[in-house]
Amino acid sequence: MKLIRTVPELREIVADARRRGARIGLVPTMGAFHAGHVSLMQAARATCDVVIVSLFVNPTQFNEPADLARYPRDEARDAAMARDAGVDVLFAPAVQDVYPADLSTTVDVGGVTESLEGEARGPAHFRGVSTVVCKLLNMAQPHVVVVGQKDAQQALLIRRMVRDLDMPVTVVIAPTVREPDGLAMSSRNVLLAPEDRTRAAGIFRALDAVRAALGQGERDMAAAMARGTAILRAAAITPEYFAAVNAQSLQPVVTFDGETLVAFAGRFGAVRLIDNVIVTPTEQRA
Ligand code: AMP
């Protein structure tokens, strides 16, 4: 595995791969790897000849300076994990190379960024995400980009940006990898106090309870969500949002009759966690 820090070096590798007709896969990350990141690398490995993982803690998407300051970083460990996952190139650029002082272009994706995370974290968050992902796609010129369902709105945003800007890349959305107790793997989990880590398992129990209610035939979304809310309350979890929305448009769902995203965000001490499940009506009830 090659560790690359500059765009010209990356371009050389990409140009060579493209000359050979190799299929290039990109997995954008902010490092502090866990099994969720590894599953994305493996998904890219399964369908691509050259797998590039970018490791860049993108400052422009952090709306809280303290969150950026304490974001876990361990490049040596990440490099070892990426190598073990069969990654070909770890691209870890410096902030000043990604953002020259006179950078004056940003990307704003409308429609899927205003609600949920966009509302909670402000418009700069998703502007930071779309701008850096656009730049990474231009730097790595992949055929495939693999992202996680864990960040559902981010995945939708990337799909929308790629479609709207005619970017020649296929977006693959990989399922969320969870701890044995259901907690979605996240780089921020290591920052949780032990009692918060235990309590945080209630997030998935709540999401799963909504899914179970809908699976049992409940169509009134408020009734299904009430099951989840009860579980959150019992675990002493106060959500920032706990919402059921159309999985494509992100419009609120009143009656369950299509693919629905049930999304959670909440704070555990200083650590903010998000999670979601997608629920689809089954054939029998259609
Ligand atoms: P991050 O390093 O947190 O920016 O995440 C990099 C990529 O990994 C994003 O596409 C995330 O959606 C994805 N990801 C994060 N956590 C998980 C998880 N538990 N399972 C699957 N993918 C994940």
Side-chain angles (χ1 to χ4, degrees), residues 27-37 39-40 54 56 61 71 146-152 154-155 158 174-178 183-188:
V27 181
T29 81
M30 299 204 300
F33 293 156
H34 49 65
H37 294 113
S39 77
L40 268 48
S54 62
F56 181 63
Q61 73 187 70
Y71 199 82
V146 185
V147 299
Q149 176 58 38
K150 159 77 164 39
D151 298 278
Q154 172 175 291
I158 293 170
T176 301
V177 177
R178 301 180 177 282
L183 179 66
M185 295 212 176
S186 162
S187 301
R188 293 182 175 89

Side-chain angles (χ1 to χ4, degrees), residues 73-147:
R73 297 165 201 244
D74 189 343
E75 190 185 282
R77 177 179 167 276
D78 286 347
M81 286 178 74
R83 192 183 320 109
D84 290 350
V87 170
D88 299 297
V89 177
L90 185 63
F91 175 55
V95 173
Q96 61 271 24
D97 288 340
V98 177
Y99 297 116
D102 59 350
L103 182 104
S104 50
T105 306
T106 55
V107 180
D108 267 301
V109 180
V112 291
T113 55
E114 293 83 0
S115 62
L116 305 175
E117 286 300 277
E119 192 175 335
R121 302 185 66 172
H125 167 63
F126 279 131
R127 184 177 306 126
V129 170
S130 38
T131 302
V132 83
V133 173
C134 179
K135 284 171 70 78
L136 290 167
L137 290 173
N138 284 334
M139 291 170 185
Q141 297 171 38
H143 299 84
V144 176
V145 60
V146 185
V147 299

Side-chain angles (χ1 to χ4, degrees), residues 143-208:
H143 299 84
V144 176
V145 60
V146 185
V147 299
Q149 176 58 38
K150 159 77 164 39
D151 298 278
Q153 220 175 340
Q154 172 175 291
L156 277 182
L157 166 164
I158 293 170
R159 278 236 159 107
R160 190 68 66 95
M161 173 178 75
V162 161
R163 187 202 69 182
D164 288 353
L165 299 183
D166 305 297
M167 300 170 98
V169 61
T170 301
V171 181
V172 171
I173 303 178
T176 301
V177 177
R178 301 180 177 282
E179 299 284 357
D181 68 358
L183 179 66
M185 295 212 176
S186 162
S187 301
R188 293 182 175 89
N189 288 354
V190 297
L191 303 172
L192 290 167
E195 61 274 22
D196 286 334
R197 168 64 190 83
T198 307
R199 230 160 33 93
I203 302 169
F204 182 64
R205 285 206 306 277
L207 293 169
D208 202 39

